Amino acid sequence: MSNIMEINNRKTFAIISHPDAGKTTLTEKLLLFSGAIKIAGAVKSNKIKKAAASDFLEIEKQRGISVATSVLSFNYNDHKINLLDTPGHKDFAEDTYRTLTAVDSVILVIDCVKGVEEQTEKLMQVCRMRNTPVMIFINKLDREGKDPVELLDELESKLSIKVRPLTYPLGMGYQFRGVYNIYKNSFDFYSVNKTKIEDDVVVFEGLQDKGLDDKFGTDAQKLRHDVELIDGIYENFSIEEYLNGNLAPVFFGSAINNFGVKELLDTFIEIAPSPTNREITNGTVKPVDKNFSGFVFKIHSNLDPKHRDRIAFLRVCSGKFERNKFYLHVRLNRQLKFANPASFMAQSKSLLEEAFPGDVIGLYDSGIFNIGDTLTEGEGFMFKGIPRFSPEVFRIVRNTDPFKSKQMEKGIQHLTDEGLAQLFVQNYGNKKVVGVVGELQFDVLKYRLLNEYGASIDFVTMPAYKAFWLKYENKNDIQDLLNIRSHSLYNDKNGNLVFIADTDFSLKMAMDKNPNVKFLSSIEHNDQTILMGDVA
Ligand code: G4P
């Protein structure tokens, strides 16, 4: 098959949702419909009910080899679909943000009872930043939920995106009768745990078809009224608007009952984008470009504790990746070849000979990769748009077993390379501070240091309000910070200078006294413009 055909055949996406909306269930149903798995229950839930590290890791283990569930590739109607898994817990949201940089579109799952929830809003902000095309699946229609029009309103107002329902439900909960496909003028009848999909779909000749009255009696009028109302309120669906990230098509269904899932999958195959262009430091890379390029968006250490292996997940962006061929690791300016790259098919991992744009490959990594690293066939560019956000909670790391200092150093290096937490080292001292988005990350860090490296640490709370990366032209710009506020200056892992403010007041003071310095709450992994923190 030619490269262009390989590219057009691929769809790389993620499913995002607030925990419990039904992401795992929908994932499983997509795999069932595609034939990639045969029985329900094969995909383990990744939600964490109790916020303890051991639970989290236990759940990770139960999910099977996490590596296999990080990417689920399957075939459907002659397409290769790469579904990138994202953690369910909000404390691991950064991992999700990074994964979203590697997809071409997303499916957002909403619980019809709860509507738009907090985590949904945050995830959508990241999609909006990147203009990622979004499809919405409103789930759990077998339950008594919010009114569909109210839900559509809420989506538009809270997520700042235009929506266009492509199906519309008749009834909900016990009264749920199915969904009307507005564009195909067909009705899909709901039944619990649906299996024979095609048998239950009836096509009508438009809303005025008398057949509707025969089927639904007095409910036919309600359906006509609702669909006409929807047609009046929402502009026609435009694929272009969807692909630009401005308009989200909406589907209604019940994942647990296999209802509405096939419709979603079929439309997804029809309209979701194939691998798209990617921004680089000096322009754009197109999937059809002849030379191979790709970037690392995720790293996972010690998947198999016996082998201490570490895998870097690389998204292919252009050309063709081949096993055992030399590629340039741009940041290190080193030529590397990979003898055992891995591909992921449904739940198993296998040796890969070649990969095309949109594919995700697993590279065994001896510690040479950072998130955001770029591989090319010799060109010196880096991929842009892989964000790092300022953490929200900070703790000082205290080594509680001096005989294991080396192990601790190594473990912290590895685990922060993964992005499990961010490490800051005091500019004029050796104080190590770990910053995270949510408390659970501290527990996981401590647990993994002990279990995977034999190192024992404690965390000491520290007064910290927020951390900011500092951007400045020259050393004079930061004289006040160096002289008066040096205790608040830290270096991140890349040597960038970071200011950790104790309070809102100290932040304001620092900003006032250092007017030529920019205080940034997010930067890009490959941002070359930040000055290095070598200021001592
Ligand atoms: P998540 O990955 O987004 O966190 O959600 P998950 O799929 O695990 O679903 C959360 C809960 O919602 C599960 O119930 C699941 O069975 C249920 N669920 C998913 N889809 C539907 C649906 O269409 N209708 C209804 N009524 N429920 C749905 P649970 O009791 O928390 O877990 P389990 O014991 O069923 O696994």
Side-chain angles (χ1 to χ4, degrees), residues 60-70 303 347-349:
E60 281 284 284
K61 269 190 230 144
Q62 282 172 17
R63 292 173 74 196
I65 335 151
S66 307
V67 69
T69 47
S70 291
L303 286 163
Q347 302 241 297
S348 61
K349 176 159 74 77

Side-chain angles (χ1 to χ4, degrees), residues 17-26 45-47 49 88 109 111 137 139-143 253-257:
S17 74
H18 189 91
D20 268 355
K23 181 164 76 77
T24 313
T25 312
L26 182 63
S45 172
N46 61 353
K47 63 186 180 247
K49 295 234 154 113
V109 186
D111 180 335
F137 183 72
N139 191 26
K140 307 195 185 179
L141 264 284
D142 57 314
R143 287 198 181 165
S254 168
I256 196 110
N257 291 301

Side-chain angles (χ1 to χ4, degrees), residues 42 99 123 268 274 276 508:
T99 300
L123 291 166
F268 173 82
S274 295
T276 40
K508 284 198 182 112

Side-chain angles (χ1 to χ4, degrees), residues 94 388-391 416 419-424 433-436 469 492:
E94 279 241 28
R388 266 171 83 187
F389 296 97
S390 161
T416 50
L420 176 58
Q422 295 192 47
L423 177 68
F424 304 101
V433 169
V434 175
V436 296
W469 283 277
D492 74 2

